[in-house]
Amino acid sequence: MKVNLTNRLLLIANMIPGGHVVADIGTDHAYLPIYLIKEGISTRVIATEITQGPFKRALENVKKAGLEDFIELRHGPGLKPLAPGEVQTAVIAGMGGETIAGIIRDSRPVAGSMKLMLLQPMRNQPELRRQLFSMGFKIIDEDIAVEDSRFYEIIAARRQSPGPFDDIDIAVGPVLRKKKTPIVYEYIQHKIEILESLINPLKTINTASGQKALAQYQRELEIWKEVLQ
Ligand SMILES: C[S@@+](CC[C@H](N)C(=O)[O-])C[C@H]1O[C@@H](n2cnc3c(N)ncnc32)[C@H](O)[C@@H]1O
């Protein structure tokens, strides 16, 4: 079975240090574990899944790929099926930022024992960063994957004092704010366009909730514009 990863999972795979035992949390189809073993990036992967359907699909795909000796499937929530020190890198991708933060919060000894966590929140990225800082995790890298004209933030974190941080570190990210690659630049422009499209109609709405939302989006817009300078 050949697996061709799309850009999002490919970028995550490329951020995994060679030779680590890797956990893929919420593996779904098990494409990432299969790719990591076939490409020789990892020699052993533990893949977890909470839902019965995807768990069975992952088992079937691992069997089809003939990789049962290298990929172990564990049924259960988040990092709970793992013991501290069992893996060096965990990938938690394709879930909401609050769900990812909850998974880490519920298993602090396991999360804290890892050298690296690669997190790919689909939404609520600032909330995930805020919670990572408050739990004592440092963001050591960030990048953007583009797939079908959609942008995906990828956050690399590990247990370490985050040091001082500000609103821009939470909203944009401590690494992304300084990373001036063309894709990051495009992403920042995209965020600015979205915020402007939300702000304009709110300017004519005089309700308390409308004004509150307007103030919030204007503050966010200021932050994203500041990063461009
Ligand atoms: C959208 S899929 C993402 C699959 C894959 N990680 C990716 O990024 O392509 C989310 C998967 O995570 C699983 N999931 C959601 N919450 C989970 C949790 N707390 N623990 C383990 N798996 C979870 C879901 O059942 C689903 O298969």
Side-chain angles (χ1 to χ4, degrees), residues 4 8 23 29 43 47 64 77 87 91 100 106-107 111 116 124 130 132 139 161 163 166 190 199 213-215:
N4 286 317
R8 179 181 60 89
H29 29 60
T43 51
K64 261 192 235 161
V87 305
V91 175
I100 295 176
D106 287 349
S107 296
L116 186 67
N124 296 334
R130 196 187 61 71
L132 282 172
I139 293 176
S161 165
D166 62 16
H190 169 77
I199 285 170
L214 179 63

Side-chain angles (χ1 to χ4, degrees), residues 93-222:
M95 299 173 209
E98 296 204 27
T99 301
I100 295 176
I103 286 173
I104 296 168
R105 191 173 291 284
D106 287 349
S107 296
R108 302 268 291 262
V110 173
S113 74
M114 287 172 196
K115 291 196 171 130
L116 186 67
M117 284 194 303
L118 290 167
L119 314 170
Q120 185 267 300
M122 301 298 285
R123 59 196 156 272
N124 296 334
Q125 294 84 355
E127 182 55 22
L128 173 58
R129 278 191 279 264
R130 196 187 61 71
Q131 293 202 39
L132 282 172
F133 295 148
S134 82
M135 288 187 278
F137 286 85
K138 186 179 172 80
I139 293 176
I140 54 169
D141 197 7
E142 288 173 298
D143 216 336
I144 300 291
V146 187
E147 206 173 286
D148 298 329
S149 309
R150 215 186 139 169
F151 295 92
Y152 297 91
E153 287 186 29
I154 297 162
I155 299 171
R158 68 168 175 235
R159 181 86 178 84
Q160 188 180 333
S161 165
F165 55 88
D166 62 16
D167 285 353
I168 302 182
D169 294 318
I170 291 175
V172 182
V175 181
L176 276 189
R177 68 185 288 179
K178 295 185 189 137
K179 216 175 212 177
K180 298 286 191 273
T181 61
I183 286 182
V184 172
Y185 184 78
E186 245 183 80
Y187 180 58
I188 295 170
Q189 295 277 20
H190 169 77
K191 292 293 277 194
I192 289 173
E193 278 165 28
I194 288 182
L195 284 163
E196 283 174 343
S197 74
L198 291 169
I199 285 170
N200 288 335
L202 282 173
K203 283 180 179 161
T204 56
I205 296 173
N206 275 326
T207 61
S209 61
Q211 291 302 305
K212 194 176 163 205
L214 179 63
Q216 168 70 23
Y217 292 144
Q218 278 173 329
R219 173 72 192 120
E220 284 180 35
L221 183 63
E222 265 171 38

Side-chain angles (χ1 to χ4, degrees), residues 37-52:
I37 299 294
K38 288 213 160 176
E39 293 301 312
I41 295 169
S42 178
T43 51
R44 184 166 134 75
V45 181
I46 301 171
T48 78
E49 215 352 289
I50 198 173
T51 314
Q52 199 55 247

